[in-house]
Amino acid sequence: MSEATMNEDSGLLDGEVVRELADIPAVEVISRAAVMLMSSAAEKLGLGDEDPANSPHLDLDEARRVITALAGLVTASVEYLGPHAGPIREGLQSLQRAFRESSAYPDAPGAGPGEKYTGPVY
């Protein structure tokens, strides 16, 4: 077998098996998107660092945007998530609480990131 080379057009290794999106169930696509948004929000809240308040990745404006996008995705797709809905909603609420704790001037209940979709998170 020859050494794998990068395909310039796709960025994939020649011969690499790629799972077609058409073959992936919708719940898996939605769940993966939610997990990616959760990870991004956690990083932007500095939660990956020992001291989140002094994290070089801390960016509350960006975190607000990602959390709001996550809330919209979860709210719009909750009926399709089945057993995945509970853990994803809990993760979203944890991020919303972490955002509030990170803010020097916390938003009023119901005005935090994504709360127009989820309702107030205390």
Side-chain angles (χ1 to χ4, degrees):
M1 182 178 221
S2 66
E3 192 173 313
T5 58
M6 287 295 282
N7 179 324
E8 295 294 326
D9 296 329
S10 68
L12 298 173
L13 294 174
D14 287 336
E16 184 175 358
V17 177
V18 178
R19 193 168 169 198
E20 294 291 328
L21 282 175
D23 297 334
I24 302 173
V27 67
E28 189 174 333
V29 173
I30 296 166
S31 296
R32 285 183 182 190
V35 168
M36 180 177 270
L37 290 167
M38 284 183 196
S39 297
S40 175
E43 286 295 323
K44 292 175 187 315
L45 289 170
L47 299 178
D49 292 318
E50 202 170 297
D51 182 10
N54 294 313
S55 170
H57 305 290
L58 182 64
D59 187 336
L60 293 180
D61 185 48
E62 286 286 305
R64 177 184 295 277
R65 295 172 191 200
V66 176
I67 293 169
T68 299
L70 174 61
L73 174 66
V74 171
T75 301
S77 60
V78 72
E79 68 182 288
Y80 307 116
L81 293 173
H84 303 279
I88 291 173
R89 284 180 130 172
E90 289 170 13
L92 169 59
Q93 289 175 352
S94 294
L95 290 166
Q96 289 171 312
R97 284 189 202 97
F99 183 93
R100 179 166 276 119
E101 291 171 9
S102 297
S103 299
Y105 302 100
D107 297 315
E115 292 182 13
K116 69 180 177 181
Y117 302 114
T118 65
V121 175
Y122 300 96

